Amino acid sequence: MKFYLISDNIDTQIGMRLAGVEGVVVHDADNFKQAFDRVLEDKEVAVLLVTEKLVDLCPAYIEEQKINNRIPLIVELPDRHGSNRPDDYILNYVKDAIGVKL
């Protein structure tokens, strides 16, 4: 099982490549969906890393994929400038997912 990265910037892709993670750089929603579909066909990929900017391009598509596919696990990564999510993003995510307020 392996990791794979779909990134919107070359710096993230190079950094992950140095760590041994293969990946691709895309800049629009159509290319992102094509790359995502190719990853779904590769049964070796267990964890898919996606930068937050790409997730923001098509959030409904990502949510649908998270619901319908157990593998790969989709992990959203901030870019080199940090996260654009609010500070309580994780707390709200847990609350929405399982209904428990922390």
Side-chain angles (χ1 to χ4, degrees):
M1 297 306 228
K2 62 183 177 180
F3 284 71
Y4 193 84
L5 170 73
I6 302 177
S7 177
D8 65 308
N9 82 40
I10 193 85
D11 294 334
T12 303
Q13 196 256 347
I14 289 172
M16 296 304 285
R17 185 67 192 131
L18 289 171
V21 177
E22 295 179 27
V24 65
V25 176
V26 297
H27 296 289
D28 59 50
D30 290 334
N31 288 334
F32 170 71
K33 289 178 183 178
Q34 290 173 359
F36 196 99
D37 290 340
R38 281 193 307 269
V39 171
L40 288 179
E41 292 173 7
D42 185 354
K43 300 303 178 192
E44 292 276 320
V45 176
V47 179
L48 175 59
L49 306 169
V50 181
T51 55
E52 287 179 349
K53 288 184 181 179
L54 291 176
V55 172
D56 292 342
L57 283 178
C58 37
Y61 180 76
I62 293 293
E63 190 65 33
E64 177 186 336
Q65 298 304 320
K66 284 182 177 180
I67 290 170
N68 294 328
N69 297 303
R70 294 183 65 192
I71 296 176
L73 173 66
I74 301 167
V75 179
E76 299 174 26
L77 294 177
D79 68 5
R80 65 187 172 136
H81 302 291
S83 179
N84 60 0
R85 306 278 188 223
D87 292 336
D88 60 350
Y89 173 74
I90 298 293
L91 292 175
N92 288 333
Y93 185 79
V94 171
K95 184 177 76 173
D96 292 344
I98 60 175
V100 174
K101 184 176 179 182
L102 302 174

